């Protein structure tokens, strides 16, 4: 794969998939979503992978997928899972694949957007609100370390974020 892809990173609910699809349409570049590619390969949903194989196996699938993406040709918009930049080797792989964008989001905004979403196994616990705060506190330095461009998305409409992306990538 070429090294000039546009990689979208950020916490669950930060808008990676929605904005990635819209940007793909605007820039006329194909769209890939790492979660979807993993689901296709595994033949089961993300909650099923977590339940039957565990989080560690899912993390390994993410790392392997990033290696495979390097073999593809063409330029893509790539939306990643919220945990993809956590491993150092993944951060390096992301940087090699292209320009890494971080959608930075507050715990309150995440809670409003996806707090009750059953498709996020990490949030199926007694206190998902606290879980979001803890995960974000732990992950933010890693997200920022991987990012070439940081966009604060709290309080912004998708159209506004899309415009920032277009200004940077057109
Ligand atoms: C995860 C985020 C999810 C998915 C999995 C784990 C995480 O992706 O990869 O549930 O660790 O934050 P989204 O960010 O697309 O929800």
């Amino acid at each position: 794969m070429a090294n000039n892809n546009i990689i979208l990173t950020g916490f669950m609910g930060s808008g990676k998939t929605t904005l990635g699809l819209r940007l793909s349409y605007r820039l006329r570049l194909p769209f890939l979503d790492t979660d979807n590619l993993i689901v296709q390969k595994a033949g089961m949903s993300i909650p099923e992978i977590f339940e039957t194989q565990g989080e560690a196996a899912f993390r390994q699938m993410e790392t392997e997928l990033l290696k495979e993406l390097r073999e593809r040709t063409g330029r893509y918009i790539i939306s990643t899972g919220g945990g993809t930049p956590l491993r150092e080797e993944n951060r390096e792989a992301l940087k090699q694949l292209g320009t890494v964008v971080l959608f930075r989001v507050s715990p309150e905004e995440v809670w409003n957007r996806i707090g009750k979403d059953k498709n996020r196994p990490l949030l199926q616990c007694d206190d998902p609100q606290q879980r979001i705060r803890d995960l974000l506190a732990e992950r933010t330095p890693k997200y920022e370390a991987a990012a070439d461009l940081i966009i604060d998305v709290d309080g912004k409409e998708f159209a506004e974020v899309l415009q920032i992306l277009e200004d940077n990538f057109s």
Side-chain angles (χ1 to χ4, degrees), residues 43-55:
M44 55 181 123
S45 69
I46 303 273
E48 281 166 351
I49 297 172
F50 271 68
E51 205 178 302
T52 61
Q53 306 191 35
E55 181 175 348

Side-chain angles (χ1 to χ4, degrees), residues 10-14 16-17 33-35 46-47 50 55 58-59 62 79-84 86 114 119-122 135 139 143:
F11 200 73
M12 295 173 265
S14 60
K16 299 168 299 230
T17 305
D33 180 303
T34 60
D35 280 344
I46 303 273
F50 271 68
E55 181 175 348
F58 175 76
R59 298 299 172 203
E62 280 186 310
S79 169
T80 59
T84 308
L86 300 184
I114 60 151
N119 208 31
R120 264 57 179 225
L122 292 178
L135 285 172
R139 290 176 172 195
Y143 289 156

